[in-house]
Amino acid sequence: MSSEKGLGNYEIHKKIFTKDMRKDYTILIPQMAPIHFELMEAAVRSCGYNAVLLRECTQKTVETGLKYVNNDACYPSILVTGQMIEALQSGKYDLNKTALIISQTGGGCRATNYIGFIRKALKDAGFENIPVISFNIVGMEKMPGFKITIPLVDKLLKMVVYGDLLQKLLTKNRAYEVHKGETQKLFDTWMDKCKKLLTKSTNKEFKQSIYDMVADFEKIELDTSTPKPRVGIVGEVLIKYHPFGNNHVAELLEKEGAEVILPDFMGFVKFMCTHKITFNTLLNTNKTSSKLMKIAIKLIDILEKDEKIALANSKKGYLPPCDIWHLEDKVKDILSIGNQTGEGWFLTAEMIEYIEHDIPNIICVQPFACLPNHVVGKGVIKAIREKYSEANISPVDYDPGASETNQTNRIKLLMTVAKDNLAMKLKEKQAIDRENEADDVEKVKNADKLKT
Ligand code: SF4
């Protein structure tokens, strides 16, 4: 056990996750993105760890978080810590054989320091003996019992591809399915298949499964005779995916008649990979790590190739995986790519990506006390609107006490504008179609006259 001294006599003992613990310890993973993390649990388990995803999140979780984290901390850190302490207090886990895991991004925001919050909360709640594993690829904290190996990275990247694909197939088909519930049923079937494939499959089987999955979803009958406004969600990584964290925003939007688009998780991974490259470009820091990250992005692009082809072959109009270099280039008109804290420039870029793909309606979810994402989210909306006149963006705040009524009103207002804009666009299209039709009739008449 090593120790970290804080102010005064406050001392935190860092419990080490040893190699021996790997055999019989349960590792608890806090929820962040339900589709992806469901798969992540299977991927981590297949590498020999007894990982358990903490699926439940309730108001009690928030209250537990608030009890152990200072209330000026960002909302995601309250939720994450709350989940962990609640699980340890639940009596479900053997406290002598339980560890926690949390990611550390290595950036300037709290995501790097969650681990400190968590260790303090553990001490205050009487769980100082619980080891906390840091999941990071930037050489921060290391624990001898948990290693980021090539097979683990390979499985995690494949789980992100599966998660992104399942997410797209689910939201698009669910919005227009003729037989209610059909999409969810197929989604559940493929979720199980993907978990098995992540446990044991060759690269060839992985590739084939991508095409098979898209082909299966192609069979779902859709009724697109009445187009729905497409609404994209952007924002802080936990709040945009975590249904409890965002008060079920995707569900609410669907009820209001939208087709919901959620961003790919892989985009965020690629953005993280650009950090070292940008540092080196702007500050001349380290050429080698910059080169390595360029290779990493290339490898991810190769991994996504079959997903891109399978989606492009579909006529349903799915959003393709992002080209991070194109987005980086585009975003420079709005802000500097030196903005890397939190979701950094990528949050702004996601809005541009949506608009470029004819998704002008955007909900920007903003967690309480998240300064970095207020800068690159709410802070750029005016500049985006000036550049893209069709943009219909609404920032929505989320925090432990935020009024649900305010959130709902904002979302309903965005939907009213979205529906009006879509109706106007369809009218304009019909008028153009009628004009073209009249032109065609005129051309036929003229051709007939010439003949006679
Ligand atoms: S990005 Fe914002 S919400 Fe996320 S950890 Fe950092 S400060 Fe908290």
Side-chain angles (χ1 to χ4, degrees):
M1 199 180 262
S2 68
S3 60
E4 288 169 357
K5 276 199 177 173
L7 291 173
N9 292 326
Y10 199 87
E11 202 173 324
I12 293 178
H13 298 285
K14 191 196 295 177
K15 176 97 183 206
I16 304 298
F17 186 73
T18 63
K19 280 184 186 163
D20 283 348
M21 290 176 179
R22 188 182 159 150
K23 282 187 259 120
D24 53 1
Y25 262 60
T26 299
I27 302 176
L28 304 180
I29 309 173
Q31 181 64 284
M32 189 172 94
I35 296 177
H36 297 82
F37 274 39
E38 193 68 33
L39 295 164
M40 184 206 268
E41 183 191 59
V44 178
R45 287 177 86 96
S46 71
C47 289
Y49 300 99
N50 181 26
V52 173
L53 175 65
L54 301 174
R55 292 174 176 80
E56 286 288 298
C57 211
T58 63
Q59 194 50 38
K60 192 172 159 251
T61 317
V62 179
E63 280 153 27
T64 310
L66 283 171
K67 197 167 163 194
Y68 294 102
V69 181
N70 202 7
N71 67 0
D72 67 356
C74 59
Y75 186 36
S77 65
I78 292 169
L79 273 182
V80 166
T81 312
Q83 280 182 65
M84 288 175 161
I85 301 290
E86 198 179 25
L88 297 175
Q89 289 174 338
S90 70
K92 280 190 207 158
Y93 306 99
D94 176 353
L95 298 178
N96 293 315
K97 290 197 185 315
T98 302
L100 304 170
I101 191 163
I102 188 71
S103 56
Q104 268 189 303
T105 57
C109 96
R110 292 182 175 110
T112 300
N113 306 305
Y114 270 9
I115 202 153
F117 282 26
I118 293 164
R119 287 205 178 104
K120 182 184 178 301
L122 288 177
K123 181 183 163 77
D124 295 347
F127 300 119
E128 211 176 352
N129 260 346
I130 303 284
V132 188
I133 303 162
S134 158
F135 183 89
N136 74 85
I137 51 159
V138 287
M140 298 188 76
E141 272 199 23
K142 288 191 176 102
M143 288 281 176
F146 189 88
K147 290 256 176 302
I148 299 185
T149 57
I150 292 176
L152 178 63
V153 173
D154 178 58
K155 280 171 194 266
L156 290 179
L157 288 174
K158 284 177 178 163
M159 86 76 184
V160 178
V161 172
Y162 277 151
D164 288 346
L165 196 49
L166 278 170
Q167 188 171 262
K168 281 182 216 288
L169 298 170
L170 176 72
T171 50
K172 165 66 87 182
N173 287 283
R174 192 168 55 192
Y176 291 104
E177 65 188 359
V178 172
H179 310 289
K180 290 287 157 228
E182 193 183 1
T183 309
Q184 186 64 48
K185 224 169 137 191
L186 187 57
F187 172 89
D188 293 341
T189 308
W190 265 104
M191 177 57 91
D192 283 347
K193 276 191 195 175
C194 291
K195 283 187 192 174
K196 284 181 193 135
L197 285 159
L198 282 171
T199 306
K200 202 170 184 274
S201 71
T202 59
N203 282 339
K204 205 175 156 200
E205 285 165 333
F206 169 73
K207 277 174 167 231
Q208 189 53 47
S209 64
I210 300 287
Y211 293 102
D212 292 347
M213 192 195 298
V214 176
D216 274 0
F217 277 86
E218 284 299 281
K219 289 175 202 151
I220 291 180
E221 194 187 338
L222 305 186
D223 175 7
T224 51
S225 54
T226 315
K228 297 181 172 192
R230 303 173 85 197
V231 183
I233 298 172
V234 295
E236 193 272 339
V237 68
L238 183 143
I239 296 295
K240 73 182 166 191
Y241 291 121
H242 198 311
F244 181 83
N246 60 39
N247 270 342
H248 304 270
V249 67
E251 219 177 282
L252 176 62
L253 283 166
E254 283 183 359
K255 265 192 212 144
E256 290 295 319
E259 179 199 331
V260 175
I261 323 282
L262 278 156
D264 286 347
F265 200 95
M266 196 63 98
F268 183 67
V269 176
K270 286 189 252 186
F271 161 69
M272 298 290 290
C273 291
T274 65
H275 284 15
K276 298 270 183 211
I277 305 166
T278 312
F279 276 141
N280 190 49
T281 312
L282 299 179
L283 304 167
N284 220 354
T285 45
N286 188 327
K287 269 191 195 140
T288 314
S289 54
S290 167
K291 273 185 191 157
L292 284 174
M293 286 302 152
K294 277 185 190 161
I295 295 169
I297 293 175
K298 260 196 190 134
L299 291 175
I300 294 174
D301 284 340
I302 292 170
L303 192 69
E304 285 186 317
K305 205 175 131 208
D306 295 288
E307 182 192 358
K308 268 187 203 157
I309 297 171
L311 292 174
N313 287 341
S314 162
K315 299 233 165 5
K316 289 187 174 174
Y318 297 106
L319 184 70
C322 75
D323 175 346
I324 197 74
W325 304 121
H326 170 74
L327 290 183
E328 188 189 86
D329 196 39
K330 280 278 161 183
V331 86
K332 283 178 187 160
D333 291 343
I334 307 280
L335 83 178
S336 158
I337 57 163
N339 283 283
Q340 298 193 348
T341 309
E343 269 54 42
W345 61 260
F346 187 64
L347 199 162
T348 313
E350 279 184 323
M351 296 198 232
I352 297 173
E353 184 192 17
Y354 282 156
I355 297 168
E356 281 191 338
H357 283 90
D358 200 20
I359 308 162
N361 314 298
I362 298 166
I363 299 273
C364 179
V365 295
Q366 301 277 177
F368 171 76
C370 175
L371 178 66
N373 288 337
H374 271 74
V375 174
V376 295
K378 218 179 218 171
V380 300
I381 293 176
K382 192 167 168 256
I384 291 188
R385 282 196 193 121
E386 276 166 14
K387 197 163 158 38
Y388 303 94
S389 57
E390 69 275 38
N392 171 29
I393 310 174
S394 184
V396 183
D397 294 326
Y398 291 89
D399 73 67
S403 151
E404 204 180 324
T405 319
N406 274 350
Q407 293 162 356
T408 311
N409 286 346
R410 280 189 157 271
I411 292 164
K412 285 191 176 193
L413 187 63
L414 174 121
M415 280 303 293
T416 308
V417 177
K419 282 178 187 168
D420 286 351
N421 288 348
L422 182 64
M424 213 189 315
K425 214 172 147 190
L426 289 173
K427 242 187 197 172
E428 281 169 11
K429 194 181 168 292
Q430 278 166 359
I432 293 170
D433 286 350
R434 270 199 302 272
E435 254 174 49
N436 288 342
E437 230 171 79
D439 278 356
D440 288 347
V441 172
E442 196 63 27
K443 275 180 201 161
V444 173
K445 272 186 193 166
N446 288 340
D448 285 349
K449 265 187 208 165
L450 281 173
K451 270 188 218 162
T452 52

